[in-house]
């Protein structure tokens, strides 16, 4: 059985910059400043790391930033739920067809591997009824670094499906350099897609097993080939 773990932002959906706006509003409401948010690169980073780095850049001590983080998180998630507008979002090319094809197979388990706090990721996917494809995953709630997430997702897949998954059984699909790095840190193959903020040349330099401009032709992609 193959385990396929999908990133969310830039891989499945594009939120049109709305999450950054919700972070901005949350930071202003809780600490009175957005700091370096306007130039900060979110790509591949876990939400708690994003907040910690933004707070530390405001010259907060690490201890104060750690205390402030859950306050910012709650304010962000509240604003994301209230204001995320599906009309300003889009499902990325090929995603719907690919998910329908994979979920129909009895040899594939689908999960998430995302830097979003789970509630935030579910809010984003929920705007297009995509949560139904992903009964489990690993999220920003589970650590600070993306490299921590693959073993957690694999363990949850085992719990859900009642069988063990190896790195060789697993594929990570993502749009950032950190998606590739976290996959390779655990001997997992990666399908990189240039639908996010990182261009194809930069992704190729990190040597993903597969690289595509988007997922529009991925239904028959070798990354998802049946075993044996």
């Amino acid at each position: 059985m193959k385990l396929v773990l999908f990133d969310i932002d830039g891989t499945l959906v594009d939120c049109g910059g709305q999450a950054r706006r919700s972070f901005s509003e949350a930071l202003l409401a809780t600490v009175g400043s957005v700091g370096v948010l306007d130039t900060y690169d979110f790509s591949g980073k876990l939400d708690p790391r994003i907040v910690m780095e933004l707070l530390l850049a405001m010259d907060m001590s690490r201890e104060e930033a750690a205390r402030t983080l859950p306050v910012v998180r709650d304010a962000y998630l509240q604003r994301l739920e209230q204001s995320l507008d599906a009309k300003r979002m889009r499902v990325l090319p090929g995603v719907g067809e690919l998910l329908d094809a994979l979920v129909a197979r009895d040899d594939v388990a689908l999960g998430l591997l995302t830097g979003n706090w789970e509630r935030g990721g579910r809010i984003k996917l929920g705007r297009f009824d995509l949560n139904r494809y992903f009964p489990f995953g690993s999220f920003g709630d589970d650590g600070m670094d993306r490299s921590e997430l693959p073993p957690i997702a694999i363990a949850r897949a085992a719990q859900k499906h009642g069988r063990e998954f190896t790195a060789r059984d697993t594929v990570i699909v993502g749009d950032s350099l950190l998606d590739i790095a976290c996959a390779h840190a655990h001997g997992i193959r990666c399908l990189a897609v240039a639908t996010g903020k990182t261009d194809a040349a930069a992704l190729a330099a990190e040597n993903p097993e597969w690289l595509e401009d988007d997922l529009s032709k991925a239904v028959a992609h070798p990354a998802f080939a049946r075993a044996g």
Side-chain angles (χ1 to χ4, degrees):
M1 193 172 196
K2 188 180 295 290
L3 172 60
V4 185
L5 300 172
F6 283 88
D7 174 52
I8 295 178
D9 295 286
T11 301
L12 296 174
V13 300
D14 179 346
C15 292
Q18 294 181 84
R20 186 181 289 269
R21 186 186 67 188
S22 293
F23 267 115
S24 176
E25 293 172 353
L27 287 165
L28 282 172
T30 55
V31 299
S33 171
V34 300
V36 298
L37 177 66
D38 289 346
T39 58
Y40 184 85
D41 183 7
F42 282 49
S43 299
K45 294 181 181 178
L46 275 60
D47 281 351
R49 175 163 293 282
I50 291 169
V51 174
M52 282 294 290
E53 290 183 350
L54 290 170
L55 295 177
L56 291 172
M58 298 177 192
D59 294 326
M60 279 193 188
S61 69
R62 185 163 293 276
E63 292 74 18
E64 184 181 4
R67 290 194 299 270
T68 306
L69 190 156
V71 181
V72 177
R73 176 199 62 205
D74 292 349
Y76 161 72
L77 292 173
Q78 180 182 29
R79 283 161 175 78
L80 189 71
E81 179 69 83
Q82 291 172 345
S83 66
L84 188 64
D85 182 359
K87 294 178 182 177
R88 296 176 55 198
M89 300 172 64
R90 63 188 178 109
V91 178
L92 290 164
V95 166
E97 183 182 5
L98 176 60
L99 294 180
D100 283 339
L102 292 178
V103 80
R105 288 171 50 176
D106 60 8
D107 66 329
V108 172
L110 292 182
L112 296 167
L113 191 152
T114 174
N116 284 274
W117 285 299
E118 181 170 10
R119 182 182 164 198
R122 298 294 186 185
I123 290 168
K124 293 173 182 180
L125 295 179
R127 294 299 190 260
F128 298 105
D129 193 28
L130 297 180
N131 282 309
R132 58 195 171 94
Y133 294 103
F134 303 108
F136 63 89
S138 52
F139 305 90
D141 313 72
D142 295 314
M144 276 283 178
D145 294 308
R146 204 172 192 93
S147 62
E148 299 175 59
L149 299 187
I152 296 169
I154 289 172
R156 288 174 180 161
Q159 183 178 33
K160 172 67 178 176
H161 291 276
R163 55 150 296 164
E164 297 298 315
F165 293 89
T166 68
R168 193 65 187 169
D169 299 326
T170 305
V171 175
I172 288 174
V173 185
D175 66 287
S176 77
L177 303 180
L178 291 177
D179 289 299
I180 302 169
C182 88
H184 289 176
H186 296 278
I188 295 170
R189 292 172 295 174
C190 182
L191 168 57
V193 288
T195 45
K197 303 297 185 185
T198 307
D199 64 32
L203 293 169
E206 296 301 309
N207 299 308
E209 282 67 25
W210 305 279
L211 173 61
E212 300 293 340
D213 289 335
D214 58 41
L215 293 172
S216 60
K217 299 179 181 177
V219 168
H221 198 280
F224 311 120
R226 292 181 181 271

